[in-house]
Amino acid sequence: AAGVIQSPRHLIKEKRETATLKCYPIPRHDTVYWYQQGPGQDPQFLISFYEKMQSDKGSIPDRFSAQQFSDYHSELNMSSLELGDSALYFCASSPSWNSPLHFGNGTRLTVT
Amino acid sequence: SQQGEEDPQALSIQEGENATMNCSYKTSINNLQWYRQNSGRGLVHLILIRSNEREKHSGRLRVTLDTSKKSSSLLITASRAADTASYFCATDPQQGQNFVFGPGTRLSVLP
């Protein structure tokens, strides 16, 4: 069965650089979520999209932005990277609100 | 403030024993879900319990929900070494379209 695909799997950037993370949800899933997970931490909600419109926003820094495209894939753009942005970034999709989330394997971002 | 909080934060047991993890939350919810995460990997959904349900079973998993105490427990029976992972509860606040995860319980099942 198709799963949520995230790319790249690993990303190394320097401080003040920009990074773009991509997420391809499971086909026919209409909701996409982005989460950030620091080492030993719980996943922190960043932002969600329903049918290509932003549906909710969590603790996402102003330096980050995200969008969902017409083909339902989503991108998380991160600018002016800081050391503290080093984390695992997960995308998840679900077929409808209140349904279980299907997670990708994440992008590990390291900022040096 | 943290929506879901897990207890204990780490649990080490022998194979064959039962493992119980607890989760507390603060606001009203529609449902509560439990997820499992192997180190460095994505979270995998285990079970969902709705706010009008009190108990749910799935294989070796048993989940309870007490909305009056705003708490849930996950019981894994007859644990196996392969159950070693971190377990998170996630709640959906009735306002907003997101799921809030607790800090997780790191379970180690020793052979």
Side-chain angles (χ1 to χ4, degrees):
Chain A
V4 175
I5 297 172
Q6 290 188 247
S7 68
R9 188 78 175 92
H10 301 275
L11 190 58
I12 299 175
K13 291 285 185 178
E14 294 187 355
K15 280 195 311 184
R16 292 180 288 278
E17 285 192 319
T18 298
T20 297
L21 280 54
K22 295 186 179 182
C23 168
Y24 296 85
I26 293 172
R28 292 181 295 282
H29 281 199
D30 58 17
T31 308
V32 168
Y33 306 80
W34 284 97
Y35 283 85
Q36 176 192 59
Q37 186 178 31
Q41 304 294 311
D42 55 297
Q44 292 291 318
F45 171 70
L46 294 177
I47 196 166
S48 62
F49 293 88
Y50 171 70
E51 284 291 342
K52 294 164 278 184
M53 299 290 291
Q54 180 183 308
S55 54
D56 201 359
K57 204 169 181 180
S59 50
I60 183 169
D62 291 341
R63 300 178 289 108
F64 294 7
S65 65
Q67 56 182 324
Q68 188 176 26
F69 294 86
S70 58
D71 64 351
Y72 288 89
H73 95 271
S74 179
E75 294 184 1
L76 177 66
N77 296 293
M78 309 158 69
S79 63
S80 303
L81 288 169
E82 302 174 356
L83 296 178
D85 296 329
S86 295
L88 266 172
Y89 289 83
F90 289 106
C91 172
S93 69
S94 67
S96 62
W97 173 233
N98 270 342
S99 296
L101 304 183
H102 298 256
F103 280 81
N105 279 324
T107 293
R108 183 177 294 280
L109 173 67
T110 303
V111 182
T112 62
Chain B
S1 60
Q2 195 74 29
Q3 171 72 346
E5 298 184 3
E6 258 109 325
D7 150 46
Q9 299 228 334
L11 180 61
S12 187
I13 59 174
Q14 295 291 136
E15 247 186 339
E17 293 182 334
N18 295 341
T20 299
M21 289 160 274
N22 302 300
C23 165
S24 61
Y25 57 92
K26 294 185 170 61
T27 65
S28 297
I29 61 172
N30 294 306
N31 65 57
L32 184 145
Q33 305 183 35
W34 284 90
Y35 288 81
R36 167 200 166 115
Q37 183 181 33
N38 287 85
S39 181
R41 304 301 296 266
L43 287 82
V44 175
H45 178 258
L46 295 176
I47 197 165
L48 179 153
I49 186 165
R50 302 202 183 280
S51 59
N52 62 354
E53 297 175 310
R54 291 297 165 258
E55 187 171 312
K56 204 158 183 181
H57 296 254
S58 176
R60 294 184 295 113
L61 306 180
R62 174 178 166 250
V63 168
T64 62
L65 179 64
D66 187 336
T67 52
S68 66
K69 295 181 179 177
K70 292 187 169 58
S71 68
S72 173
S73 68
L74 170 67
L75 168 68
I76 303 175
T77 60
S79 64
R80 306 166 181 167
D83 294 329
T84 295
S86 291
Y87 292 83
F88 295 89
C89 74
T91 54
D92 60 329
Q94 287 187 339
Q95 292 187 353
Q97 192 162 9
N98 71 87
F99 290 90
V100 180
F101 285 82
T105 294
R106 186 185 300 275
L107 174 66
S108 298
V109 181
L110 307 174

